[in-house]
């Protein structure tokens, strides 16, 4: 290759490399978050429900709300909530879901998780393993859970709509009925209220192919380099005549 062609070829190669990286970057992970993460996983909110709801302004339901209640009374009941992500339709190659949950009481006896699903795909067993892990679900504790979604869920996400559903049940952790507490004085709560803080969906899509007729990066590089060489060769005779 002549000295005249090399500088232009380097410039063209740099342009093509930049275009190629831009093409490949389109296939990177996409992250969508609903609500805001306001606490670190494992935190104990000593201020109870008031501490959980204090920073939760302007977030779409069910985020930032404490739903249900443990203690007998008008608010007693179990947490149940649904939330939906809207994404561009397309083939999903991998995905994960994460969410923050306050006071779900999974450290109590039995299973506190009734169901967890996305678009009807059952994820309950996978989430229950995380719920029942040691040190999770203590009184007034906030935990963040993350699950890798199975192939069936990836297929369900391809339509561009992902609706997650989460339901809890009692018994919740017990309530002390005598102050000061007496050994063995603990009444299990039938209801199991909880608060959903945020949720994040992270996914990778199959790269979108270039439009029909658009050259691939490698083909474009060869084409541009060849055109540059032709242009310089056409100019070379005139340059020689000028020197003569």
């Amino acid at each position: 290759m002549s000295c005249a062609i090399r500088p232009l070829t380097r410039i063209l190669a740099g342009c093509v490399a930049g275009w190629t990286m831009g093409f490949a970057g389109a296939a990177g992970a996409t992250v969508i978050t609903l609500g805001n993460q306001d606490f670190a996983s494992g935190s104990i909110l000593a201020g109870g429900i008031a501490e959980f709801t204090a920073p939760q302004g302007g977030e779409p339901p069910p985020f930032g709300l404490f739903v249900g209640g443990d203690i007998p009374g008008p608010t007693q009941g179990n947490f149940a909530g649904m939330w939906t992500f809207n994404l561009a339709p397309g083939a999903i190659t991998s995905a994960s879901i994460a969410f923050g949950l306050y006071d779900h009481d999974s450290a109590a006896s039995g299973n506190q998780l009734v169901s967890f699903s996305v678009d009807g795909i059952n994820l309950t067993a996978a989430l229950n393993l995380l719920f029942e892990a040691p040190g999770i679900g203590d009184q007034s504790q906030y935990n963040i859970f993350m699950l890798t979604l199975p192939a069936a869920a990836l297929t369900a996400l391809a339509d561009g709509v992902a609706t997650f559903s989460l339901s809890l049940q009692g018994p919740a952790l017990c309530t002390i009925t005598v102050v000061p507490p007496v050994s063995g004085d603990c009444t299990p709560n039938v209801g199991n209220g909880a608060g959903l803080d945020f949720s994040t969906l992270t996914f990778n899509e199959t790269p979108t192919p270039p439009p029909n007729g658009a050259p691939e990066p490698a083909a474009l590089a060869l084409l541009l380099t060849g055109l540059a060489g032709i242009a310089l060769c056409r100019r070379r005779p005139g340059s020689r005549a000028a020197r003569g």
Side-chain angles (χ1 to χ4, degrees), residues 9-225:
T9 303
R10 288 170 184 162
I11 294 173
L12 290 171
C15 293
V16 171
W19 184 85
T20 303
M21 286 188 292
F23 178 83
T30 300
V31 179
I32 304 175
T33 298
L34 303 176
N36 300 315
Q37 180 184 342
D38 295 301
F39 310 97
S41 188
S43 299
I44 301 295
L45 306 189
I49 296 174
E51 183 177 351
F52 172 75
T53 57
Q56 314 280 1
E59 298 181 34
F63 301 101
L65 301 176
F66 191 88
V67 178
D70 301 355
I71 301 173
T75 62
Q76 186 181 47
N78 297 315
F79 174 90
M82 299 176 65
W83 62 100
T84 298
F85 293 93
N86 294 297
L87 47 147
I92 306 296
T93 57
S94 63
S96 64
I97 184 67
F99 59 90
L101 196 61
Y102 163 67
D103 199 37
H104 49 90
D105 287 354
S106 63
S109 61
N111 289 332
Q112 282 61 48
L113 180 61
V114 176
S115 64
F116 181 55
S117 64
V118 55
D119 293 342
I121 306 300
N122 194 337
L123 307 173
T124 305
L127 180 58
N128 199 52
L129 289 175
L130 301 181
F131 260 48
E132 299 302 321
I136 299 298
D138 290 331
Q139 189 73 268
S140 298
Q141 190 176 43
Y142 172 89
N143 297 110
I144 295 175
F145 300 97
M146 194 280 287
L147 283 176
T148 299
L149 299 183
L154 301 183
T155 301
L157 265 59
D159 64 357
V161 178
T163 298
F164 289 84
S165 177
L166 173 66
S167 297
L168 305 182
Q169 66 183 358
L173 290 170
C174 62
T175 299
I176 301 300
T177 58
V178 177
V179 179
V182 177
S183 177
D185 176 52
C186 186
T187 302
N189 293 308
V190 176
N192 189 7
L196 184 65
D197 185 35
F198 79 99
S199 184
T200 296
L201 178 66
T202 304
F203 60 94
N204 289 278
E205 295 181 280
T206 301
T208 303
N212 292 337
E216 295 287 349
L220 183 64
L222 291 173
L223 175 63
L224 293 177
T225 303

